[in-house]
Amino acid sequence: MKRLALPGVLLVALAALALEDAPPSKPIPTPPPRAGAGGGEEHPEVPPPPFSEGIFPCSGCHADMKVNRTRRPLTEMHDDITLRHDEEHRWCLDCHDANDRDWLHLASGERVPFEESYRLCGQCHGEKLRDWRAGVHGRRTGDWNGHKRYLLCAHCHNPHKPRFQALEPKPAPLPPRRPGSEP
Amino acid sequence: MIFAQRFARFVEGSLRLVLQGNGLYWAWIAFLLALIGSGVAAYAAQVGAGLALTSMRDPVSWGFYIGNFTFLVGVAAAAVVLVIPAYVYDWKPIREIVIIGELLAVSAIVMCMLFVMVDIGQPLRFWHLIPPWGHLNLPSSILAWDSVVLNAYLVVNFVVVTHILYRAFCRRHYEKRLVVPLVLLSIPMAVGIHTVTAFLYNGLAARPYWNSSILAPQFLASAFCSGPAILLVVLQLLRRFTRFEIQDQAIWKIAELMAYAMFLNLFLHGVEAFKEYYSDTEHLLYTQYWFQGLGEHRTLVPYAWTAVALNLAAFFLFILPAARRNPLTLNLGCLATYSGCYIEKGMGLIIPGFTPDTLGEIYRYAPSITELRVAAGVFAVGFLVFTLMLRVAVPISLGEFQDEEGSLVTGTAPAIA
Amino acid sequence: MKHLPVMNQAADPGESACSRRQFASIAAAAAAGFLLTACGPRRLREMPKARLRQALDEMEREYAAKRGMAVQVADTPPMPDVLFGYALDLSRCIGCRRCVYACVEENNLSRDPQLHWIRVLQMEKEKGVDFRHADPYYAPAEVPEEGHFYVPVACQQCRNAPCVKTCPTGATWMEPDGIVVIDYDWCIGCRCCMAACPYGARHFNWAEPRIPAGELNPATHYLGNRPRPNGVVEKCTFCIQRVRKGRYPACVEVCPVGARKFGNLLDKDSEIRYIIENKRVLVLKQELNTLPKFFYFYAT
């Protein structure tokens, strides 16, 4: 028996290690959002998503169409959308749910509504999502000690081409002039 | 009451004195009144339209008025250059003329206060500085302290001067127990007023050009040469136009003291320049703007080097006894001292302190016509006050304007020509 | 030839006791007059509430008469347990100056002569925060310009404010909620505060301020955006007329890229606290120990 003790212990140790590395059989639960401490709100109230006129619900057209998962440039419809958002690695159906176009989907396959599109953006832009929940990212309106108004990411950032366009600046201030000197 | 009657005789006699004079006197008075009139008109326009008529703007928010104010506080403090030899050392040649220095101090303080009045944006609110109706932010506000010490210095000098002169008019001796303590008090007060004025600038961390410990000593050094420069000229004029006797020794001693003061002034400027150039931090910018200009902004450079040249010339003229004794070189030296210190204290202090401003902007300040007219008017008021006081003080000192019992005897007016 | 005998002569004591007594009685009368005419505090800061409201009603009447429209001058007091703080995201500001002009409209700033409470400085990324080479007069066709970043500067509402220290009449002070305010009716226009401010945040009315008819914002606060007279100093008040009612300052709301953040430093759940605790925060000219309540940070 004593001669089996050491190999036995080793076997148990190896088994324990092996079990730890095994892939989980169920999805890793997401940690609950932090309460307080600048955690902000879990599901902030937001205005309706900025759909183009008449485009929603998408199922109006897509309910009857066959799903084509082949990566390709779109020619018959939505050809006005230029994708400039990691387009080398992604295309439409990486965000839009293939089976029901009225939804978006996360990397895990979980569907999210357009009203919670921030959860989709937050997959890659995690710090922005945290900051946004805290009220630090994004345009701030409302009451500082009460009801803060939140906007969706899409209200400022075009999800297909998120980079901000340059703006024309408002006029420069007038430099101070001595009395009687020409401007 | 006898008191009131005698005082009435004094006033009447003084009025007669100031209204008597020859052509030169009246030409001088007329000139001063003309400048005052022009100044009042320009100031009225400024009050109506606002300080926009000056060249001051947000980047350079103090300019010609405050520059002159600062210089004149120095002139007022310079009375101490006479008071110390006269009262502390009891040196007769200066003892006889110390009252002229005190009269100059009074005139200079009057000008200082006028310059502050014309500089503030709401002049009718000046009473906000006078408790109990107003409120003085003591102990933290240096300008509040400055208004206290300047008024106190004015009162001390005014009381001493009027007491001595009025008692002499009454053919009585002055009250030693009143005058001597006040006069001795005026010595630290003179140092005090210019130190507090220096602190106005010195305490501002936002302005690195001023935020330097040597500012207060440098102010005093330049004050103690520029104030007596005016005095020396006035004393020579009094000698020339009145029977007032001033010993050569007094004048030469004052000139000698000015040489030492100018040396200190140059030394302190020198050490400041060393610190700025050797440490070579971003704070050098302001000194650079003054001596070299920044890029194409070179407005002040000629003035900087002119001031240096004038101050150096004045120093050498006054350090050589032979040059002190020659009236031509003496007066050239006075002119050089006054102009050199005026430039360096006015433009050389205020404008580089603000240029570049706290956010890096460079605004080219140069006094506007309004500022020049108002400033000339204020100077004219000061000169007028000084002239009129001398007009009464000199005859009293000579024993020519005295109160005979029951009647007014003014003697003949001192011969001007 | 005579010279001055009077300087060397002193008097005997005991003379003219009569005139000394006369002088004393005159002085006493003057002192009494002094006290009698000091009829109550004139500074808005010291006025009792009822008298203050009267003074503000008087102001409202004057403004209405002068401008031909109703103007409210509020006296909203500070909220308890509030200390305002501001944070500006330097990685976001694109220098569009919409904040500058929103402030002009909200706070009744003079249009002619032009007065801005916010100054946006264009700086070079290579040089970093460098005031010597900052340019407030940039005017390209579009912003942001390549290789540049933007630093808007307004009053930093310092906790150790040099302007409050130097004001000779006590016309400027910090309110309990942290806003440094000016009593426009007490300010004498000496501009000590402007010399003292390291941030160029205080501005002077060099001439009568002019606001075109129809552009006046009638919702004002007596320490904030009520129309100012000629010859006094003014500056950013964190939109005191808005923030004391719970709203954000105008610049925070108008910023199109969300670079401006505001809140209560004493509220541990506020976004301003989140920024201070989680982001790289800096203040301008920190070595001057002004302890600003305006923070700059980089969100990314």
Side-chain angles (χ1 to χ4, degrees), chain A residues 102-178:
Chain A
D102 288 339
W103 295 77
L104 303 161
H105 73 93
L106 303 180
S108 61
E110 184 188 339
R111 291 195 311 187
V112 295
F114 281 95
E115 289 76 15
E116 290 176 28
S117 51
Y118 47 83
R119 293 173 58 198
L120 173 57
C121 312
Q123 287 182 116
C124 292
H125 302 285
E127 323 92 58
K128 304 281 191 299
L129 180 63
R130 278 199 292 280
D131 285 353
W132 176 80
R133 283 198 208 281
V136 168
H137 183 98
R139 187 158 170 188
R140 187 85 280 120
T141 55
D143 297 332
W144 57 265
N145 67 342
H147 187 68
K148 282 194 256 283
R149 277 178 236 137
Y150 285 81
L151 297 166
L152 287 170
C153 317
H155 282 113
C156 295
H157 304 276
N158 180 339
H160 306 123
K161 198 176 173 195
R163 200 179 182 88
F164 277 168
Q165 302 285 68
L167 285 179
E168 189 192 340
K170 294 271 182 189
L174 298 170
R177 298 253 171 237
R178 299 206 293 272

Side-chain angles (χ1 to χ4, degrees), chain C residues 231-272:
Chain C
V232 300
V233 170
E234 55 178 71
K235 64 176 192 65
C236 164
T237 58
F238 274 179
C239 281
I240 193 173
Q241 67 280 2
R242 293 169 68 115
V243 303
R244 284 191 173 173
K245 295 186 174 160
R247 299 175 62 197
Y248 282 105
C251 48
V252 171
E253 291 206 336
V254 83
C255 177
V257 299
R260 290 171 167 272
K261 304 295 164 212
F262 180 85
N264 179 7
L265 288 165
L266 301 178
D267 173 9
K268 59 178 176 50
D269 295 332
S270 62
E271 60 249 40
I272 184 77

Side-chain angles (χ1 to χ4, degrees), chain A residues 18-69:
Chain A
L19 277 169
E20 267 182 36
D21 284 353
S25 50
K26 32 179 205 257
I28 300 172
T30 51
R34 279 179 351 174
E41 303 183 28
E42 169 66 16
H43 289 292
E45 191 189 311
V46 290
F51 289 119
S52 313
E53 183 88 26
I55 206 82
F56 193 82
C58 313
S59 52
C61 293
H62 284 276
D64 304 325
M65 283 166 67
K66 200 162 105 65
V67 179
N68 181 351
R69 294 176 193 270

Side-chain angles (χ1 to χ4, degrees), chain B residues 52 61 122 125 128 174 361 397, chain C residues 4 9 11 119 137 187 230:
Chain B
S61 49
Q122 288 272 352
R125 293 183 187 176
H128 291 190
Y174 66 78
E361 176 153 3
S397 311
Chain C
L4 183 61
Q9 290 173 343
R119 174 158 273 228
Y137 301 110
C187 171
N230 191 353

